Amino acid sequence: QVQLVESGGGLVQAGGSLTLSCAASGQTFSSYAMGWFRQAPGKEREFVAAINWSGTRTAIPDSVKGRFTISRDNAKNTVYLQMNKLKPEDTAVYYCAAAQVSGVVITTRQYNYWGQGTQVTVSS
């Protein structure tokens, strides 16, 4: 079992930045691929970023490429999502997730564990 707790969400103006953190506890964090997803009201959960167990490979979709960066610190059992140049359309609940696989995972169905989410609101 892995427990995930997101933090760092909040209200920010368009063009601003936020860094989300996801703290993991339970089984060995470094054995899990990690990902970030978001879900806006009335929309499906959307892939935002993923990173492999060692942090050497990442995946970022075109919708946020160049603005969002994912990283991890296995010594601190934490994965981060740095979000720059935020837009109102980035407003959503952001979730982190853990998958017990070795590569980079971009689909929701491959993730085994999910956090409760943190709200990000970007005002125009």
Side-chain angles (χ1 to χ4, degrees):
Q1 287 284 340
V2 174
Q3 293 77 43
L4 304 172
V5 179
E6 302 96 336
S7 62
L11 175 64
V12 64
Q13 288 189 335
S17 298
L18 280 176
T19 300
L20 304 184
S21 300
C22 174
S25 61
Q27 295 189 8
T28 307
F29 174 73
S30 60
S31 66
Y32 286 81
M34 300 297 295
W36 286 96
F37 291 77
R38 66 186 181 186
Q39 190 164 18
K43 295 188 176 181
E44 293 187 353
R45 195 162 293 191
E46 175 189 15
F47 168 65
V48 173
I51 191 166
N52 71 335
W53 69 273
S54 62
T56 56
R57 293 174 57 199
T58 62
I60 305 288
D62 289 343
S63 58
V64 300
K65 189 170 289 183
R67 300 189 299 121
F68 289 14
T69 303
I70 187 171
S71 62
R72 67 189 296 162
D73 185 340
N74 286 345
K76 295 182 178 180
N77 288 1
T78 302
V79 62
Y80 305 95
L81 183 68
Q82 174 68 43
M83 305 185 294
N84 299 324
K85 300 178 182 179
L86 283 162
K87 305 175 181 181
E89 51 263 44
D90 294 319
T91 296
V93 177
Y94 283 70
Y95 299 91
C96 74
Q100 202 166 12
V101 298
S102 59
V104 175
V105 181
I106 65 172
T107 57
T108 58
R109 66 180 182 272
Q110 291 182 278
Y111 282 92
N112 309 104
Y113 303 101
W114 293 83
Q116 293 299 306
T118 186
Q119 176 71 46
V120 172
T121 302
V122 184
S123 63
S124 57

